[in-house]
Amino acid sequence: MSLLVVGSLALDTIETPFDRAEKTVGGSATFISIAASYFIRPVRLVGVVGGDFPKSELDYLQSREIDIEGLQIKSDGKTFHWHGRYHYDLNTRESIRTELNVFADFDPEIPVPFRKSKYVCLGNINPELQKEVYLQMEAPKLVVADTMNFWIEGKYDALIDVLKYINVLVINDSEARELSGEFNLFRAARKIQGFGPYVVVIKKGEHGALLFYESDIFFAPAYPLETIYDPTGAGDSFAGGFTGYLAKTDDLSYENMKRAVIYGSTIASFCVEKFSIDGIRSLTQFEIQDRFNEFKKFSDFQAIELEA
Ligand code: AMP
């Protein structure tokens, strides 16, 4: 099975209550493709970077068999830059600055062999670009997409338009409320399903994730971590692990999507333990499987009926 990932590649400035880092590697497509590469190879990556994006990081992506043939390198331009600030409640963050730079006039040209990819993960970018990508694909089996408040507020109509083509929308709780205009998450998910996606995954940070699959609902806890260092990329790592597992297994049943949610949550839990992409840079299959199994243990219990 083949997986195409399109989204941002970034140099981020991140502030948390514990640390601050300038020009760290980030971006939706970066996290998604690394996360997915633990399940399926090669991952086909399409995006754009400026001349300031470290060559060593491109080499690293290639070392994980991420195919960067579709990555445009604008050597005289600057890479997309996002400055985010987290407070003590690491579930909420402020976007201090978003500089599109080379993304401002990015024209996503999907290499011809990539257009046959059966699985597509459209990372968080301008929804108009997400649609342009979709229209170049030949017959994708599953299209997963992510978005964020920046686009809900700035490109609402384009986002509603592209949702018609999306099968799975992965979105966090505050964004689901903003997109749907509904405070209650169940109502929000139902409304978003009405826009197009038959599956909606609502991420609730350290409180887990909700999977709405047609009329079914599955709740997955988050892995209880003692140290959360930098939440940046958790949502994208989730999307990458989720889509990568589905592409590997090529099974879109409800039962398999539940497992995909847990694999996504597993990779996201590694991501937040370190800054930037460091938490997911070099995981082993054993570490991933072990944590996946622990997820089951944490929410497994024996039901005993009350005596009358
Ligand atoms: P996440 O924490 O998974 O929601 O995603 C974090 C990543 O999203 C960061 O590394 C940013 O570079 C990237 N990002 C932030 N804002 C935007 C935006 N408006 N468009 C595309 N990517 C963005």
Side-chain angles (χ1 to χ4, degrees), residues 12-23:
D12 294 334
T13 299
I14 306 294
E15 287 178 57
T16 74
F18 324 108
D19 212 342
R20 179 189 165 102
E22 306 275 348
K23 302 268 159 99

Side-chain angles (χ1 to χ4, degrees), residues 7-12 14 24-31 80-83 86 93 95 97-98 100 103 123-126 146-151 172 175 203 231-238 271:
S8 58
L9 291 98
L11 291 176
D12 294 334
I14 306 294
T24 64
V25 172
S28 53
T30 316
F31 286 104
F80 173 87
H81 174 244
W82 177 71
H83 179 171
Y86 298 87
R93 72 178 173 202
S95 285
R97 211 174 159 80
T98 301
L100 294 177
F103 258 100
N124 173 27
I125 42 169
N126 182 340
D146 187 7
T147 194
M148 73 181 286
N149 51 356
F150 186 84
W151 303 115
N172 77 26
E175 289 156 357
K203 301 163 290 175
T232 309
D236 302 319
S237 305
F238 175 94
C271 176

